[in-house]
Each structure stands twice: as C-alpha cells, then as structure tokens.
Amino acid sequence: MASTHPKETEELGGQESMLPIDMKKGIELIGGDEGMFWDVMGKFEELTFDNSMQKMYESFKARDYAQLKASAHTLKGASGYLGATPFSDACLELQRASEEKLPNDKRVRKAYEKCMTEGKLLKAHLGKLLKKDQDLSIFTIYLEESLKPIHVNTGNLKGGCQCCILF
C-alpha cells in the first residue's frame, strides 16, 4: 500500500482535516519496515485501542484520575509510535490534566472530549486503512458522559451536593 503524507487531507463532516495517521512517519518510527508497520497498526487497533478507550471512559465516569492518566499515557505512546499525532497529542493533554495534584474538572473534561473526538476520527481511519467495518456508536456514549453535570460537595450540606455544575 502506498504511504500517505501528513499534509494529505480528507473530507470529514464538510471540513478538510489532516489525516489521523502520518503513515510515512509511522513507518520511519518502526525502522522503515512497511510490513511491520501494518502488523503493529492492526495489533494496536485490535488489542490496545478499544480496551484502553473503554478504560478511559470508565475512569472519567468514576473521576478516577489515576486510571484516566494511565489510559491516556498508554494510548499516547502507542498511537504516537504509529504516527497518529493528533490523537497522541490529545492523549498527552488528557494525561497532563489528570495528573495535576488537584485536577481541574473543567480542564479534564475538555481534554477528555478532545481525546474522544480524535479517537473517533482515528478509529474510523483505522477502519478505512485496515478495510474493516468500524462501529463508532460507542463514541456517542463516551462523549455523552462529558456532558453530564459534575456534582460538587462543598461540605455545607450533609451527604449531598450544593449544586450541579456543567462546564
């Protein structure tokens, strides 16, 4: 298969966007072996991506920032190794937002949304490259979680929250 150049674009929802994977960069990172690149990309899609995205969703939902950071870290490295820079960068943002001593829910929420949006684009692109049908409906569920209000217990009320905040 021919390699794509990072400046090549595709039509996504009426807008031109950079491709989610810079195959030339990915092949270089693997040592120039295009066959190995395709094998690694297939294993990433099959073994790492879905499982880590599910963990990311569950940890965001539970506000488990340590697990959220770990999932973002795993996906950042694995996708970066493939040349999937937009998604890898989004994972780095989420990792950094989650590792703050006192995580800022607004910052984490924004980074999570970006990560899920880039993840959906990457999953769709992997499907095209690997010639596999991809069910992207799970990303609707993942993104809906970021729209739910965050309950803040200010300590003023016994056993309850004073308000619900939607950032």
Side-chain angles (χ1 to χ4, degrees):
M1 291 195 159
S3 297
T4 60
H5 190 273
K7 295 198 188 301
E8 288 183 0
T9 59
E10 65 182 346
E11 191 76 17
L12 296 171
Q15 296 180 324
E16 265 193 14
S17 177
M18 189 182 313
L19 291 174
I21 297 176
D22 177 348
M23 291 179 55
K24 182 178 178 183
K25 179 179 178 181
I27 292 167
E28 287 172 9
L29 288 169
I30 302 257
D33 186 335
E34 190 169 343
M36 182 181 283
F37 172 79
W38 285 98
D39 289 343
V40 169
M41 185 171 46
K43 287 186 182 2
F44 168 76
E45 190 274 335
E46 184 180 325
L47 304 173
T48 305
F49 186 79
D50 291 337
N51 186 39
S52 293
M53 291 298 281
Q54 178 68 30
K55 285 181 183 176
M56 188 180 290
Y57 162 72
E58 290 168 359
S59 57
F60 178 79
K61 187 175 178 180
R63 300 301 185 261
D64 181 348
Y65 294 111
Q67 181 58 52
L68 188 60
K69 175 187 168 190
S71 296
H73 178 77
T74 297
L75 285 166
K76 174 195 70 174
S79 61
Y81 193 60
L82 290 173
T85 304
F87 179 68
S88 182
D89 289 348
C91 289
L92 176 60
E93 276 184 50
L94 182 57
Q95 178 185 338
R96 287 180 175 162
S98 321
E99 69 188 3
E100 293 176 356
K101 190 170 185 176
L102 295 171
N104 175 327
D105 266 336
K106 186 176 181 178
R107 183 171 174 219
V108 171
R109 179 186 299 262
K110 185 177 178 183
Y112 172 84
E113 288 174 358
K114 184 174 182 181
C115 202
M116 288 298 162
T117 301
E118 291 295 338
K120 183 177 181 180
L121 293 172
L122 177 58
K123 180 78 172 175
H125 193 66
L126 285 168
K128 288 178 187 176
L129 293 174
L130 299 170
K131 297 182 178 15
K132 294 171 80 175
D133 288 330
Q134 301 287 18
D135 180 6
L136 302 176
S137 62
I138 192 68
F139 286 94
T140 301
I141 295 166
Y142 291 165
L143 284 164
E144 283 175 355
E145 186 61 36
S146 71
L147 300 175
K148 291 182 179 177
I150 297 171
H151 297 280
V152 179
N153 187 345
T154 62
N156 297 334
L157 301 174
K158 292 182 180 177
C161 65
Q162 184 175 355
C163 62
C164 292
I165 299 173
L166 180 59
F167 294 101

